Amino acid sequence: MTIRTRATRSRPSWHQAHSSPSRRFLRVCGTLLALAGLLISACSVGSSTTSASRAVASALNALPKATPAALAPYYGQKLKWRGCDAPGFQCATLKAPLDYAKPASGDIRLAVTRKKATGPGKRIGSLLVNPGGPGGSATGYVQSYAGVGYPEEVRARYDMVAVDPRGVARSEPVECLTGREMDEYTQADLTPDNRREKGQLVDAVKEFTEGCGRRSARVLRHVSTVEAARDMDILRAVLGDEKLTYVGASYGTFLGATYAGLYPDRVGRLVLDGAMDPSLPARRMNEDQTAGFETAFRAFAKDCVRRSDCPLGGARTTPDQVGKNLKAFFRQLDAAPIEAGDADGRKLGESLATMGVITAMYDEAAWPRLREALTTAMRNKDGAGLLTLADTYYERGPDGQYANLMSANAAVNCLDLPAAFSSPEALEEALPSFEKASPVFGESLAWASLNCTYWPVHPTGEPRRIEAKGAAPIVVVGTTRDPATPYAWSRSLAAQLSSATLLTYDGDGHTAYGRGSNCIDSTLNRYLLAGTPPPQGKRCSAA
């Protein structure tokens, strides 16, 4: 129900052959973040105005350079590497303090994987990668994609490494609902028409958040991005690297920037692709992301009407009318969901159809599939294609079970920032601004941001600038028509980071590295291999 930010794996140059069909259209924040963070969700009660003013006044402070004595055992641990299910990879378990304020109170165990540098050439060190979310499995990402699909010259010189952040995948995952319960949750009506439907939506959100509190009480207060960044520093030290080299996509940019802010002197080569802006409060992030999905949809609409198989209009149909046609279809589904050939009896209603369309906005390579799915649904009353896209977004498997992506996503977002809205009534007052930002998705994305309003633990973070003064050169990559992490966020983060260079990809889709631009790929490969950042203002296209 929340929108996440996570790197897409669909289009590629060098990784297409290594990504599974079920994940080709993904990406992972939120609805913004959460929606990625979008924070959407975001957490405890507090006005966005207050949060914004705090953000203007404060910046993330670096931690002391000396390692506290209480953390020395963690920094001195030895990983016990073993074989993995993935051929060529090793796996291990990293220990970190559950509570950094009270290291003696217990550990959290984090899943780590690596594939050693293949050569030729002298090994540079470890390259840590994170695909975003929050909630995306970094170990799964490396084993299925980065460790086998990153450019050969990069894999030759680096050990490809990942750690599932605390609360994610194999690292003591946050759990909230059963598969059947998640089916009901993902079908909750995100465009409530009356008091009864609003009450049903609130009840669905409360059931989700209460489930998180019951099932994951031990870790729920300790899955923040700051804590995950501190875990990465322990891993850096345990791997024997003096500096951290890192590629983070989507929410992974927030994680990487947070690391830089906490440990500027330990920054090696950092690529932050599809950046989030850490200085923004939750509501602003949600509205920005809503506008980002509208921008992506209009690009899709312009392309669609030029195609003979477009079900939303012909060559002279404007993007505004395409949006109205899609909204009309959504209203039909709201009134009467259609069959989708689902083994568990689910039908395609408005909420799942909306998420199916949103999924395809992460990568223009998914647009043909979206046209086909919409055609089948609109003309043949068969919702199977859109349901499959929605299941991809939610990471629902064919067995009806869900990865813990959405649970971890909400848990991290709701700890990182105060909630976007204090109540459903406050959200309703904001609906006009969301619908202005996106006539197609605005209402749904606004209502999708209720999770943190009812979150069972209070947030520990707030909006902050990240400056990372003294850090080595960092490269921030922004895509001009990125739906999940709008280009303005990349510009803002690059301006905040004292040593950052902004690399612009003039194109569609979420993130840029490995998505078809030789200019982007060669520029980032040069930076990772030689430490040479691009000149300020460098722009690339898909060619």
Side-chain angles (χ1 to χ4, degrees), residues 431-495:
L431 280 177
S433 62
F434 277 80
E435 292 178 307
K436 180 179 180 180
S438 175
V440 178
F441 306 117
E443 183 179 8
S444 292
L445 294 188
W447 282 106
S449 66
L450 273 181
N451 279 353
C452 292
T453 301
Y454 301 103
W455 201 246
V457 300
H458 293 293
T460 56
E462 63 179 6
R464 288 186 184 274
R465 298 189 322 280
I466 298 180
E467 299 172 354
K469 294 180 180 179
I474 296 170
V475 178
V476 176
V477 187
T479 298
T480 56
R481 293 181 294 281
D482 190 318
T485 52
Y487 179 61
W489 292 1
S490 293
R491 288 203 312 264
S492 179
L493 179 61

Side-chain angles (χ1 to χ4, degrees), residues 19 23 33 40 62 116 182 199 214 238 273 288 293 341 356 459 473 476:
S19 54
R23 294 180 185 260
L33 262 190
I40 188 178
K116 288 189 174 182
M182 277 296 294
R214 287 193 308 271
V238 170
D273 183 12
D288 283 359
F293 278 106
V476 176

Side-chain angles (χ1 to χ4, degrees), residues 71-80 93-97 107-110 231 234-235 237-239:
L71 297 182
Y74 295 102
Y75 276 82
Q77 67 185 291
K78 301 295 183 182
L79 293 179
K80 296 180 180 179
T93 300
L94 179 76
K95 291 182 181 179
D107 299 338
I108 189 168
R109 295 174 179 270
L110 308 176
D231 296 341
I234 292 176
L235 178 59
V238 170
L239 291 172

Side-chain angles (χ1 to χ4, degrees), residues 43-44 213 217 220-223 411 414-415 452 454-460:
C43 247
S44 93
L220 214 58
R221 299 176 188 277
H222 298 290
V223 293
C414 294
L415 209 54
C452 292
Y454 301 103
W455 201 246
V457 300
H458 293 293
T460 56

Side-chain angles (χ1 to χ4, degrees), residues 147-183:
V148 293
Y150 259 40
E152 184 177 358
E153 59 268 38
V154 173
R155 291 183 286 116
R157 306 286 301 283
Y158 283 102
D159 293 345
M160 300 297 298
V161 180
V163 55
D164 283 339
R166 48 178 61 207
V168 174
R170 301 178 181 93
S171 293
E172 301 198 24
V174 173
E175 301 289 353
C176 299
L177 299 176
T178 66
R180 286 285 187 180
E181 291 168 339
M182 277 296 294
D183 280 348

Side-chain angles (χ1 to χ4, degrees), residues 179-180 183 344 395-403:
R180 286 285 187 180
D183 280 348
D344 296 312
E395 293 202 350
R396 182 189 192 270
D399 60 355
Q401 298 304 306
Y402 291 74

Side-chain angles (χ1 to χ4, degrees), residues 60 225-227 229-230 253-263 278 466:
L60 182 65
T225 297
V226 166
E227 289 165 309
R230 299 189 70 173
T253 66
F254 181 37
L255 181 58
T258 298
Y259 180 91
L262 295 174
Y263 306 103
I466 298 180

